[in-house]
Amino acid sequence: YAMLRPDGAAENGAWHIPVPPSVPLLRVTAQNSFGTASDPVWLDDGSDRTFLGELNVETEFFRDYAYVHVRSPHPLTSPPRVRVLAEGQVPDPEVRSLSARHFFATFPLTTELGRSITVEAVADLRGGSSVRGVEENSLAPVTPAAGGVAALSDGSFRLSFPPDGVLSNLFVRLQEGRGGVRALPDDILLDQGATVEMAVPTELLANRSGLFVISDGDLQLLDWREAYGRARLEGRVTRFLGTFLVLEDETPPRLERRSLSYRNATLNLDFRIRDTRSGVASSTIRVTVDDQPVIAAYDPERRRIMVSERIDLSRGRHRVEIRVRDRMDNEAVWHGSIVRP
């Protein structure tokens, strides 16, 4: 790369810039007195080159507008043209250049666009030929007044928004991958939320399985079924959208002993509990001594079961039992003992 500058003052509004014959492509920009640069213009040396490949079109959707990336495998001397094809009319967006191979454009999202949006980019080449790229997108417009539905074409996933389900117009996109469905945008707060229905994959029909959502970094259980139970699961999301999955969970929580003692007529117990899928059902925690219940505290942040209770026990060995279930009814049982000398 080399910086080329004019060799003198402008004549009739034009600058003369000497260009070495070894430079095949020029990026020309200008700055005003405030340092604001113009969009670059690309100039080549006029030699014939074979254009291999096609334009790559990638659209990012935000709350109320779309950002279109157009990338070329070879330098282009002029920006491509971008068209948006939808049910409603969209004026051709202005295309700006980031480099000789990378261009961008934006257009607003409105409910009049409908559910299918095709973005097409076309670039003219020397000799009258052209190269193009196309991307097709499916959107589900959701409004506070009427709600809306986003669903996969095969019926395996459906997201239903009632009226007042969202705070403002939302354009929902569904992306399949890694055994789940990601519903976007997943960073906008909902109002009344939505109902989600998802088919249980064939390979999980014989297993206890649940409908989960990964939202804001957490795995949350929405609904579950026993083995050979319902073929579809249904739940609700009320804060954010996310990635929805059907997962097997037949593994009970795991109890890890930290301390267990009986001194001065007081039982002290501290256990860590882990469950990596549906999560601990804290209401199911039961601690007994010789089949008699004792009061246990559960700390969900540290995932610990703790007991500190005065109990009068006779001399000798006494049975201690801990029972706990996860939210899909998998039960863990721990047996131990304490001794009063």
Side-chain angles (χ1 to χ4, degrees):
Y1 297 93
M3 179 72 74
L4 303 177
R5 298 184 181 278
D7 60 359
E11 296 181 6
N12 298 322
W15 294 92
H16 176 263
I17 304 176
V19 180
S22 61
V23 176
L25 183 71
L26 287 179
R27 177 181 187 271
V28 182
T29 61
Q31 288 186 350
N32 62 18
S33 58
F34 298 101
T36 303
S38 66
D39 275 357
V41 174
W42 303 92
L43 305 173
D44 66 8
D45 61 2
S47 59
D48 291 331
R49 297 185 181 88
T50 301
F51 193 100
L52 301 177
E54 60 183 17
L55 300 180
N56 175 263
V57 180
E58 181 180 353
T59 306
E60 293 183 86
F61 292 92
F62 296 91
R63 180 189 295 268
D64 54 4
Y65 72 96
Y67 188 103
V68 181
H69 295 269
V70 180
R71 294 179 174 88
S72 169
H74 302 287
L76 298 175
T77 56
S78 62
R81 301 182 301 280
V82 171
R83 289 198 308 159
V84 180
L85 308 176
E87 293 179 15
Q89 291 187 349
V90 180
D92 291 348
E94 180 184 3
V95 180
R96 312 282 297 272
S97 59
L98 296 172
S99 73
R101 303 170 188 261
H102 188 184
F103 304 84
F104 75 94
T106 62
F107 63 90
L109 296 176
T110 65
T111 56
E112 290 75 19
L113 292 179
R115 305 181 69 88
S116 179
I117 297 177
T118 300
V119 181
E120 179 187 57
V122 179
D124 295 326
L125 303 177
R126 184 178 293 108
S129 62
S130 63
V131 63
R132 68 193 295 266
V134 176
E135 182 193 45
E136 295 183 354
N137 298 277
S138 294
L139 296 181
V142 180
T143 67
V149 173
L152 294 180
S153 58
D154 62 0
S156 61
F157 182 87
R158 180 182 176 92
L159 198 58
S160 303
F161 294 83
D164 296 325
V166 294
L167 295 168
S168 59
N169 289 350
L170 197 66
F171 300 88
V172 179
R173 291 94 60 200
L174 301 180
Q175 296 179 348
E176 294 183 85
R178 296 184 180 181
V181 177
R182 186 180 183 188
L184 295 168
D186 54 10
D187 58 350
I188 296 178
L189 185 65
L190 306 176
D191 190 357
Q192 299 298 318
T195 298
V196 57
E197 301 172 59
M198 195 166 186
V200 178
T202 304
E203 62 271 19
L204 293 182
L205 288 174
N207 304 97
R208 181 179 294 177
S209 49
L211 171 60
F212 294 82
V213 60
I214 302 175
S215 179
D216 202 23
D218 294 326
L219 182 67
Q220 304 167 25
L221 177 68
L222 302 179
D223 188 20
W224 69 280
R225 59 182 278 285
E226 294 284 3
Y228 300 104
R230 292 170 289 145
R232 293 181 72 85
L233 294 169
E234 180 179 317
R236 283 191 58 78
V237 286
T238 57
R239 288 181 53 79
F240 297 96
L241 300 178
T243 300
F244 298 89
L245 313 95
V246 175
L247 301 173
E248 173 191 351
D249 187 1
E250 297 184 331
T251 304
R254 188 175 65 190
L255 289 163
E256 300 174 359
R257 174 175 169 172
R258 291 171 55 87
S259 65
L260 175 63
S261 64
Y262 182 76
R263 295 188 183 91
N264 301 321
T266 300
L267 172 66
N268 291 290
L269 176 150
D270 188 350
F271 273 66
R272 187 185 301 277
I273 182 171
R274 299 180 185 275
D275 191 277
T276 58
R277 281 282 167 91
S278 58
V280 175
S282 59
S283 63
T284 68
I285 296 173
R286 297 288 184 272
V287 179
T288 60
V289 177
D290 294 338
D291 298 326
Q292 297 300 310
V294 297
I295 298 175
Y298 176 58
D299 184 342
E301 294 296 325
R302 297 189 294 171
R303 299 184 177 91
R304 287 167 62 182
I305 299 173
M306 293 168 288
V307 172
S308 181
E309 184 172 345
R310 185 173 180 83
I311 305 174
D312 291 326
L313 298 175
S314 60
R315 294 182 185 277
R317 187 175 297 275
H318 298 267
R319 301 186 313 275
V320 178
E321 181 182 85
I322 303 175
R323 290 180 177 269
V324 61
R325 297 175 182 268
D326 64 17
R327 293 190 176 99
M328 288 178 59
D329 213 31
N330 299 298
E331 186 179 44
V333 182
W334 182 89
H335 296 282
S337 62
I338 54 176
V339 176
R340 179 184 176 183

